[in-house]
Amino acid sequence: MGGLTADPAFRSMTFVVIDFEATTPTGYPSQPIEIAVLALRYEDEGWQETGRSTSLIRPPAFAPVTPAGTAQTGLTAAQLSVAPTPTEALGGVDRRFSGDTPYLLVAHHAATEANIIYNQREHCPTLARTNLLDTILLAKHCIPGLVNYRLDTLLTHFEISQPANRHRATADVDVTAQVFRRLITLANDRGRVANLAALVKVAGRTAKCNLAAQDGLFELTPVAGEVAAEPT
């Protein structure tokens, strides 16, 4: 057993893989239309799933789903018109976070998820204060030299099957969780990451709500220096 997965701080952490689908209206930030989360803990038996949740989210009138969005996700304006509001959907996820449990969010290109969460923070204040791990940053550390670090590239590298409904939140959370677990195995077995603190240094991103409220500090930045991320 390597140092990372033996670290008590790592074992006490709940890792919540998160993915949004969103619309991007001109002149406005991205608006979520679907969310999925998958909670994982590392125990003696290995990785254990401790919870999951998914919900559609009704977008505001200024951010309708576009034909291109429907082509990518399969979600239609009719479906979303009767979906839960952001208060209902994001509030429901937020209430799943216990105040006594340490959490880290896990996302591929975490800046995307973090920006959506920050802009919706009135509906999910606990989620908005939860720091993140970026699987792109972790992959660059563990697998240097790939042509790029898009999610599909990592799925091919790890021989993980493409889900039929790729670009839906639940499917993307499931494959991101698989990639995360493979990366942790590499980090652990090769001694690339010694403990949770080192993992955060390599791949951590600070939630915007946890940054000092000063000019210029509201851009999401990597914990350990500026590393360019790539979209999915």
Side-chain angles (χ1 to χ4, degrees), residues 107-109 134-162 166 175-176 178-180 182-183 186 230-232:
H108 196 76
H109 194 229
D134 193 330
T135 49
I136 288 180
L137 299 179
L138 185 56
K140 287 182 175 182
H141 182 78
C142 292
I143 323 170
L146 290 185
V147 61
N148 62 56
Y149 291 86
R150 297 175 184 272
L151 183 55
D152 288 337
T153 301
L154 292 174
L155 295 182
T156 299
H157 177 82
F158 286 123
E159 298 182 340
I160 297 170
S161 299
Q162 282 271 355
R166 174 81 168 90
V175 292
T176 299
Q178 292 183 59
V179 167
F180 175 65
R182 300 286 187 91
L183 291 171
L186 289 179
E230 301 182 26
T232 60

Side-chain angles (χ1 to χ4, degrees), residues 172-232:
D172 286 359
V173 152
D174 282 336
V175 292
T176 299
Q178 292 183 59
V179 167
F180 175 65
R181 291 168 60 170
R182 300 286 187 91
L183 291 171
I184 292 297
T185 297
L186 289 179
N188 190 60
D189 291 350
R190 298 181 183 177
R192 293 180 180 272
V193 180
N195 50 37
L196 180 66
L199 178 64
V200 170
K201 185 175 181 180
V202 164
R205 288 181 175 269
T206 303
K208 286 186 173 183
C209 284
N210 294 334
L211 294 173
Q214 300 175 14
D215 290 344
L217 289 181
F218 285 103
E219 290 303 316
L220 189 76
T221 55
V223 168
E226 191 67 35
V227 180
E230 301 182 26
T232 60

Side-chain angles (χ1 to χ4, degrees), residues 34-112:
E34 187 176 34
I35 182 175
V37 295
L38 168 59
L40 298 169
R41 289 281 298 272
Y42 193 90
E43 300 176 355
D44 289 340
E45 300 80 14
W47 288 103
Q48 303 296 320
E49 180 180 323
T50 61
R52 64 166 61 222
S53 177
T54 186
S55 178
L56 297 180
I57 306 172
R58 188 187 315 166
F62 63 78
V65 64
T66 64
T70 296
Q72 183 177 60
T73 66
L75 294 173
T76 67
Q79 286 176 287
L80 295 173
S81 69
V82 294
T85 64
T87 298
E88 294 166 335
L90 298 177
V93 171
D94 204 60
R95 288 188 290 274
R96 297 175 71 94
F97 284 71
S98 165
D100 297 330
T101 303
Y103 296 95
L104 280 171
L105 301 179
V106 177
H108 196 76
H109 194 229
T112 298

